[in-house]
Amino acid sequence: MTNLSSPAPQRVTDSDLADLDEDGASADVSVLEAIVPETEAGQRLDKVLAALFPQYSRSRLQQWCDAGLVRMGEQTAGVRDKARTGALLRVAVPALPEDTAFAPEELPLDVLFEDPSLAVLNKPAGLVVHPAAGNWSGTLLNGLLARYPETARLPRAGIVHRLDKDTSGLMVTARTLEAQTELVRRLQARTIHRQYLALVWGPVERMFNVDAPIARHPRDRLRMAVVQGGKPARTDFTPLAALDTPWGPLTALRCKLHSGRTHQIRVHLQFAKLELVADPVYGGRARPDLSLQRQALHAARLGFLHPCSDKPLDCTAPIPDDIAGFWEECGGAPQEIDPRRW
């Protein structure tokens, strides 16, 4: 038992199982215990739990309260219950199927930075990030489980954010629960800075931004769209270089995210009447006579403060060969769009 700190989960004992099963928890659980300190008396239980167990997000702790997995003393406790000084809190932490159902697979991961808390990867185009229908193996998650076995204990094997299958570039993943929780919080607070390279058909003469809310497309559930009442989203676009090609004007853009909505850059480009090269979902023209057959979008730069040390990390992923080759094919020089020069 502990006071206001970050206790390590303790394995549940045989004598605990009957009580836990009465509350609907499976036998494959861990139990956290802490005493409510005097300073937290009278506070909402979810707030107290977040203070006592900061390695878990408040929303996850609320879910466990709603599922009957939290006790204060001898009673099952709810989110809005008031904490009592000296009361014993017990949280049954379930092993969620989605956290444990995936098998490790040896994959050639391009790791740009790693330490005991996190890793920064350069994902190739064509690699699916998370298992789902049609892609139950060979995903980035499977590769993470093989390289970092400790991530088997983390939600989504430590994945913090995703890239589309055909988008290449930088991702940060966590190796500890504390790092994952903090990275998610920083993403939500918009203190993780992400910049992308996009190649679009059409002229762009000056910097512009799109500040428009995004939600699921009202008629096509596989797409996102700018929708009134959607989640706020903003992207800044800066032209880097432009080419006159036989197929029309081609512009390289630096795209800076101020939020992280699904398909955000692709949706905002479509909203701005620009075509992301070879993006069939949002109207980009794929040309059989040109080499690039996947969307010309690359997560090129990633900057953030380390979640444990607060030291700045600034990572750059070189332009992948297919995008660089396409730019040269259209008459450009790769150094014009090199993210190391941004």
Side-chain angles (χ1 to χ4, degrees):
M1 294 182 290
T2 184
N3 289 324
L4 196 58
S5 61
S6 302
Q10 303 172 0
R11 292 303 300 175
V12 66
T13 64
D14 290 342
S15 62
D16 292 318
L17 292 181
D19 289 341
L20 293 172
D21 287 343
E22 288 174 1
D23 289 338
S26 77
D28 188 13
V29 297
S30 297
V31 174
L32 301 173
E33 293 186 348
I35 297 293
V36 177
E38 186 175 351
T39 55
E40 299 295 319
Q43 299 292 326
R44 269 176 53 128
L45 187 61
D46 58 338
K47 180 180 177 182
V48 175
L49 290 170
L52 293 171
F53 307 115
Q55 67 270 44
Y56 296 101
S57 67
R58 190 167 177 177
S59 62
R60 178 159 291 223
L61 291 163
Q62 289 170 338
Q63 291 170 5
W64 290 340
C65 284
D66 293 339
L69 300 179
V70 178
R71 286 188 172 185
M72 183 163 50
E74 298 301 318
Q75 302 295 320
T76 301
V79 168
R80 294 178 178 80
D81 288 349
K82 303 298 183 183
R84 302 191 305 271
T85 301
L88 173 62
L89 295 177
R90 302 177 77 241
V91 182
V93 180
L96 302 175
E98 61 268 29
D99 295 342
T100 58
F102 306 111
E105 297 179 46
E106 294 289 343
L107 296 176
L109 301 180
D110 184 7
V111 180
L112 303 186
F113 174 87
E114 64 181 356
D115 68 11
S117 298
L118 59 85
V120 178
L121 313 171
N122 182 18
K123 186 190 85 70
L127 179 63
V128 174
V129 171
H130 193 280
N135 294 284
W136 291 114
S137 64
T139 70
L140 178 64
L141 181 144
N142 299 116
L144 290 172
L145 290 172
R147 186 179 179 103
Y148 308 116
E150 68 274 18
T151 62
R153 300 189 295 270
L154 305 182
R156 304 173 302 282
I159 292 170
V160 174
H161 61 109
R162 304 189 190 190
L163 293 177
D164 297 332
K165 175 184 176 181
D166 289 327
T167 297
S168 56
L170 293 170
M171 293 181 58
V172 58
T173 66
R175 297 180 62 184
T176 69
L177 189 57
E178 291 81 1
Q180 186 178 29
T181 301
E182 184 60 26
L183 286 169
V184 168
R185 286 171 177 162
R186 293 184 183 193
L187 270 173
Q188 294 170 342
R190 303 179 185 179
T191 59
I192 295 181
H193 305 293
R194 292 173 288 168
Q195 297 183 66
Y196 290 65
L197 170 67
L199 305 184
V200 300
W201 296 115
V204 181
E205 297 180 356
R206 61 181 61 88
M207 177 183 175
F208 69 97
N209 68 70
V210 176
D211 193 344
I214 292 176
R216 189 70 59 184
H217 193 286
R219 293 180 299 278
D220 184 347
R221 306 305 294 172
L222 298 179
R223 299 169 59 198
M224 309 298 287
V226 170
V227 176
Q228 286 297 112
K231 293 183 178 179
R234 174 181 167 177
T235 313
D236 295 342
F237 297 99
T238 303
L240 300 171
L243 301 173
D244 288 323
T245 78
W247 308 277
L250 179 67
T251 304
L253 296 176
R254 180 177 66 198
C255 314
K256 182 178 180 181
L257 291 178
H258 291 272
S259 48
R261 309 306 175 202
T262 301
H263 298 175
Q264 177 173 321
I265 291 174
R266 301 162 69 188
V267 171
H268 277 174
L269 284 172
Q270 184 186 51
F271 184 74
K273 303 293 191 285
L274 292 169
E275 296 183 19
L276 180 65
V277 170
D279 181 1
V281 177
Y282 293 97
R285 289 169 287 170
R287 299 184 179 278
D289 52 336
L290 293 176
S291 61
L292 190 62
Q293 296 298 303
R294 60 97 171 180
Q295 61 205 33
L297 190 60
H298 176 63
R301 297 200 68 165
L302 181 66
F304 60 97
L305 299 180
H306 192 285
C308 300
S309 68
D310 269 344
K311 291 183 178 179
L313 287 173
D314 188 4
C315 301
T316 304
I319 304 170
D321 291 343
D322 58 350
I323 290 181
F326 172 76
W327 185 255
E328 286 188 287
E329 195 177 347
C330 292
Q335 59 266 29
E336 296 174 312
I337 57 175
D338 190 337
R340 291 172 295 185
R341 302 177 63 186
W342 295 2

